[in-house]
Amino acid sequence: MTPRDRAGGKTLNLDRREVVARLLADAGDLLVITGLGSSTWDCATVMDRDLNFYLRGAMGSASSIGLGLALAQPQRRVLVITGDAEIMMTAGALATIGAQGPKNLSIVVLDNECYGETGMQPSLTAFGADLGAMAAAAGFKLAETIWDEAALTRVLPAILGRDGPALHAVKVKAENYPHAMPPGDGTTLKDRFRQALLGPDAMA
Amino acid sequence: MTDWPKDIFDVLKEADIRQVSHVPDAGQARLIEMLDADNEIRAIPLATELEGIGIAAGAWLGGQRAALLMQSSGVGNCINAFSLLKNCRFPFLCVVSMRGEFGEANPWQMPMGQATGKLLETMGLVVTWVHRPEDVRPTMEAAVQIAFAAMNPVAVVLSQRLIGAKSYG
Ligand SMILES: Cc1ncc(C[n+]2csc(CCOP(=O)(O)OP(=O)(O)O)c2C)c(N)n1
């Protein structure tokens, strides 16, 4: 019996690369933070841009970086794209975000119900933990777990809107795709993001 | 007598720190009250201290300065997240109030308290200890320089000589 059977769950249908492509299609001035593991690979592969900041470590920090950024830039939309295990590591941070309530922060969890990066071991969402429900209970204004194309199409405007904080756990198939690397080390990525966002003030 | 919690608050204000996250410690209670009452600084209560590192990094990406307040035991919760600072050269300022050293009565505080300074150094933070009230302001000012001019992560560590050891019973 697999964890999935124990949780009595449905099948995973959505393709993570297609989900990311839809999220970034009209990215415009969206500020994007990606969590370590497949989410970073997906975003670097689908659409690298100066306003993407990619993590390849500091597991559990993606949502907090999104919070600090959203509070510092209330006029800009911030989108955190990360994995279910990455965000679960600091599940309490959901309550921190709920308490601060930044309207411009949206989190998309690409929930493949496994630790894709480390050999596809079942992760806690495979046993039934529901990140959409957890975020709702932590005070997110919009929070939902998304199982299919129709639901994704319905919530896409909300994901890219300004009525957050929002968390959408999008259930995706467990796939390990070939991927591009983020262009540069952490310092380079931080500096290019700040220059794109702040212009000359980035050097101040 | 020097009002050192006020000195810390004043330096944070003068340095234009806009987000201060914390898991409270009794030693910083008055400082946190002042932060809560201020409407330019956003005081952010955390579930775990390591969130404060991500928040500071995010704030900096967005052009704001942030700081983290925590008890020495919280340093233990932060270790892996400190990677973010070194790897990306984020400026970072934290104020750590000590337990588990001078005059400690709670044995549970000792292991982490005795390791706090070494762990901060091991993870690449510049560590400056404060033992006397009159040293708080100059040390905080120096730390702001190290964080935001020299762009290095820095911890100001408030010793139990300064704060006073907590009494039980
Ligand atoms: C603190 C810490 N523990 C463990 C790891 C090893 N690790 C790397 S990625 C990862 C999890 C990836 O799972 P998830 O966030 O669900 O992303 P996925 O790759 O499945 O999309 C783990 C456990 C790590 N990098 N850091």
Side-chain angles (χ1 to χ4, degrees), chain A residues 65 68 73 96 100 190 194, chain B residues 19 42 51 60 62 88-89:
Chain A
I65 297 177
Q73 287 286 334
T96 305
Q100 296 303 317
K190 173 205 66 178
R194 276 174 52 88
Chain B
Q19 302 183 32
R42 165 94 63 149
E51 297 168 50
W60 184 251
C88 305
R89 276 207 100 206

Side-chain angles (χ1 to χ4, degrees), chain A residues 2-12 113 125-128 147 171:
Chain A
T2 68
R4 194 92 276 282
D5 297 330
R6 275 201 292 280
K10 315 169 207 168
T11 48
L12 306 173
E113 303 194 350
T125 55
F127 295 83
W147 287 91
K171 293 285 182 176

